[in-house]
Amino acid sequence: MGETRLQWCKEQADEVKEIMVENYNKAVEREGKLGELELRSDDLLSKSKTFTKSAAKVSQQTRWENIKMKVVIGVVVTLLALVIIAIIIWYSVRDDPGEQTKPTPSMTPGN
């Protein structure tokens, strides 16, 4: 009976050993996957920083382009307004009834 009990204990120990080896292998495998995941996350962080810088640069460039466009449109509108005002003033001065040329009396002798 002592031998069967010893055999049973050895079998139990072997089962526990197999479970422990399996758990150890899984832990080593998990460690490798975690290392790979850490490398990928570091790469992703680096790429996100680059993207943030690029996005800020594009945003600033777009802002300046919008400002330039508004200035150009403002200048064009101002020039058009000045041309229209100049044309209105020119026509109003040219057609002014008080400025019409009156015939000058001729200087004839004996008048």
Side-chain angles (χ1 to χ4, degrees):
M1 177 138 179
E3 209 172 286
T4 58
R5 183 151 173 99
L6 182 61
Q7 184 66 27
W8 181 79
C9 286
K10 283 184 180 181
E11 288 175 5
Q12 290 294 319
D14 286 341
E15 274 185 48
V16 170
K17 180 182 172 186
E18 286 179 28
I19 291 172
M20 288 179 68
V21 168
E22 188 178 318
N23 286 343
Y24 175 77
N25 289 338
K26 286 180 181 179
V28 169
E29 185 180 324
R30 190 178 308 127
E31 183 180 339
K33 288 181 179 179
L34 287 174
E36 182 182 325
L37 184 61
E38 185 178 0
L39 290 174
R40 289 171 59 191
S41 68
D42 288 342
D43 185 47
L44 187 59
L45 178 64
S46 172
K47 288 179 180 179
S48 71
K49 287 181 181 179
T50 303
F51 175 77
T52 301
K53 288 179 183 177
S54 298
K57 185 184 284 186
V58 167
S59 175
Q60 184 178 11
Q61 183 179 4
T62 304
R63 191 177 312 121
W64 278 112
E65 287 176 5
N66 285 342
I67 289 172
K68 288 178 188 177
M69 186 59 69
K70 287 178 182 177
V71 168
V72 167
I73 290 173
V75 168
V76 167
V77 167
T78 303
L79 288 176
L80 283 174
L82 289 174
V83 166
I84 290 171
I85 290 171
I87 290 172
I88 291 171
I89 291 174
W90 187 71
Y91 275 114
S92 68
V93 168
R94 195 177 124 212
D95 293 338
D96 192 8
E99 294 277 331
Q100 290 181 354
T101 56
K102 298 178 185 174
T104 56
S106 61
M107 300 252 309
T108 57
N111 277 354

